[in-house]
Amino acid sequence: MKKNNILLVDDDPNIRETIAELLRYENYEVKVASNGQNALDLLEYWTPDLIICDIMMPVMDGHVFHKIISENQSLSPIPFIFLTAKKENNLRRKCLLEGVDDFLSKPFKIKELIKIIAVKIERFEKIKNANNNLYIGEKNHFAHEINTPLSGILGSIELLMDAKEDYKKNEIATFYDSIKVSGERLNRTMQNLILYQNLKNNTIEFDHQSKTEIATTFVNTTSKIFEIYDKKNNTINFKIDEATIKISQRYLNFILFELIDNALKFSKKNPTIIVSGQKYNEEYYELVIKDYGIGFSPSELNKIGAAQQFKREEREQQGLGMGLFLSKTIIKKINGVFSIVSTENEGTTIKIFLPLDSNC
């Protein structure tokens, strides 16, 4: 039976570990954090079924942490309980008006906490089951990404079936190419949705014994990308040193494809991107992807998440806005490091550190 996941955020190590042990005894899977920022780091690659949080904490307090959670599309539905020793008139009312699901004052009875947790998780599970949509973003974007390639496939097939004998061999080949491109776009959309759902539900097990050679994988991936960008004059200047990375072929392919595709997609003025890869030290391989495109504003950078797209109406885009988020999540899952620096109208630099195979 799958255990429900609980995130416990409290700066007092004694309280934190005591509550965590009690919850584990009740058969919950528990992860702990000492403040809101540490909790956000955990939430980049792990999704709980409930959050228990103190209010008064260093670095990032409970109110700020809850506000960030409430503004995140994929995290905002998670039940959130404040557990605090803070004394203030009308504090409970204030917290509930902020959207917190429940509030307990320290000291509290553990039986009361366990009962509240069970009720909140049961309600959350019913909501998830009733609204188990694969995609959490704008529904018109979802419909567009499904209908556009599907129309391309069906339309080309219909034209071929109606008058195949009227077309020359090279014209028929053009139809086949169109069907292939549309089919791959539709397949990529559906695979990303399934991957997102599995990551959100923590149902993917990452094999940390997997190994993949990065230089060969990079060449194969970019060849696939240029099948899409064949007539768009995009250029990749690259220097990739050979190394064996502790990641499966599937996920390394995914990360490279999504990050390079994003860089090309948003490089409207200058279609050249620069990619470099080398051993950073004995533990990590450093990969840097730099473009000179439209970039992100500081506020946009802070909002990068699943299904998050920016100014789609002004910037012609394909995709559901999941590639960057999913890549970042996978990198965190394999104990890698992800960073992004961007300036609006100047470009973006993504730097990732991937764990090296110790025998390479």
Side-chain angles (χ1 to χ4, degrees), residues 109-157:
K109 294 180 180 179
I110 191 64
K111 287 185 177 179
E112 183 181 7
L113 177 62
I114 296 298
K115 185 175 181 180
I116 290 173
I117 288 171
V119 169
K120 298 299 179 185
I121 287 182
E122 181 182 7
R123 181 171 175 271
F124 184 47
E125 289 293 332
K126 288 179 179 177
I127 292 172
K128 283 198 298 184
N129 292 335
N131 302 280
N132 195 20
N133 298 317
L134 279 174
Y135 184 58
I136 61 170
E138 294 290 335
K139 297 299 180 280
N140 60 321
H141 296 168
F142 176 76
H144 175 78
E145 286 303 315
I146 298 298
N147 291 332
T148 300
L150 189 58
S151 297
I153 294 168
L154 296 177
S156 296
I157 290 174

Side-chain angles (χ1 to χ4, degrees), residues 81-96:
I81 299 173
F82 267 142
L83 193 65
T84 182
K86 187 177 182 182
K87 303 298 182 183
E88 180 183 309
N89 290 335
N90 296 320
L91 180 59
R92 177 186 178 87
R93 178 179 175 81
K94 176 184 175 183
C95 292
L96 293 176

Side-chain angles (χ1 to χ4, degrees), residues 4-5 9 33 36 54 57 77-78 98 158 262 267 290 318 348:
N4 288 113
N5 299 314
V9 191
D54 191 13
M57 297 180 293
I78 298 171
E98 288 177 359
E158 185 176 349
N262 261 355
S267 295
K290 181 177 180 61
Q318 285 188 8
T348 300

Side-chain angles (χ1 to χ4, degrees), residues 173-185:
T174 301
F175 279 115
Y176 288 153
D177 288 341
S178 175
I179 292 169
K180 184 174 183 289
V181 169
S182 294
E184 288 180 345
R185 177 179 171 183

Side-chain angles (χ1 to χ4, degrees), residues 237-263:
N237 291 337
F238 66 90
K239 184 181 184 301
I240 304 293
D241 292 348
E242 294 183 353
T244 303
I245 310 299
K246 293 174 66 176
I247 186 174
S248 70
Q249 180 83 52
R250 173 192 174 191
Y251 290 126
L252 184 56
N253 272 329
F254 179 88
I255 291 168
L256 291 173
F257 189 99
E258 293 295 336
L259 296 185
I260 294 171
D261 178 56
N262 261 355

Side-chain angles (χ1 to χ4, degrees), residues 156-169 171-173 175-176:
S156 296
I157 290 174
E158 185 176 349
L159 287 170
L160 284 171
M161 291 178 66
D162 285 347
K164 182 178 180 180
E165 62 281 358
D166 295 336
Y167 296 112
K168 298 176 182 178
K169 189 174 181 179
E171 292 175 326
I172 293 174
F175 279 115
Y176 288 153

Side-chain angles (χ1 to χ4, degrees), residues 11-29:
D11 64 320
D12 187 320
N14 293 324
I15 292 176
R16 190 171 65 235
E17 293 307 318
T18 299
I19 296 175
E21 284 304 310
L22 289 167
L23 294 177
R24 290 178 183 125
Y25 180 77
E26 295 291 328
N27 205 34
Y28 291 108
E29 187 73 36

